[in-house]
Amino acid sequence: QVQLVESGGGLVLPGGSLRLSCAASRRTSGIYYMGWFRQAPGKEREFVATISWFGGRTYYADSVKGRFTISRDNDKNTLYLQMSSLKPEDTAVYYCAASRTVGGPPTERGYNYWGQGTQVTVSS
């Protein structure tokens, strides 16, 4: 079992930046992808970005390309999401997730472990 704990959320002005972190409770052996999802009030959870844990290949939702950067530190078992040029529509609870799926990036159903989420609010 892998436990994931997100941190770094908060209130930020439009155009501002935040960095989210996701710490895994133990070594991530057997984990092939880690990603970020978000859920805004009244909406379904949606994919934000994912990264292959060993190769470092990244994938992004169109809505965040060029503004968000996903990265990981294998030695620290930690995932990051650097968010820049934030917009009010980025307001959501952001979830970290880990997948044991081998091969291409998994769909949301392919993620085996989830964090509790961290709130990001973009507002003036």
Side-chain angles (χ1 to χ4, degrees):
Q1 187 75 9
V2 176
Q3 292 183 327
L4 305 173
V5 179
E6 303 96 336
S7 62
L11 173 64
V12 63
L13 294 171
S17 299
L18 276 179
R19 189 177 82 155
L20 305 183
S21 299
C22 172
S25 61
R26 62 172 181 80
R27 286 184 62 208
T28 50
S29 59
I31 298 298
Y32 292 92
Y33 286 89
M34 289 191 72
W36 291 97
F37 291 77
R38 67 186 182 186
Q39 187 168 21
K43 295 186 177 181
E44 293 187 354
R45 188 165 57 192
E46 64 175 3
F47 167 75
V48 175
T50 193
I51 186 168
S52 60
W53 195 248
F54 298 106
R57 188 164 183 179
T58 58
Y59 304 84
Y60 295 93
D62 288 343
S63 59
V64 306
K65 277 182 185 176
R67 300 188 299 122
F68 290 10
T69 301
I70 189 171
S71 62
R72 88 276 191 237
D73 185 327
N74 296 50
D75 291 336
K76 295 182 178 179
N77 297 324
T78 301
L79 179 73
Y80 302 100
L81 184 68
Q82 178 66 48
M83 305 185 294
S84 302
S85 301
L86 283 161
K87 305 174 182 180
E89 51 263 44
D90 294 317
T91 295
V93 177
Y94 283 71
Y95 296 92
C96 168
S99 172
R100 305 179 72 88
T101 297
V102 178
T107 63
E108 183 174 339
R109 285 189 173 184
Y111 285 84
N112 307 94
Y113 309 104
W114 292 83
Q116 292 300 305
T118 185
Q119 176 71 46
V120 172
T121 302
V122 184
S123 175
S124 55

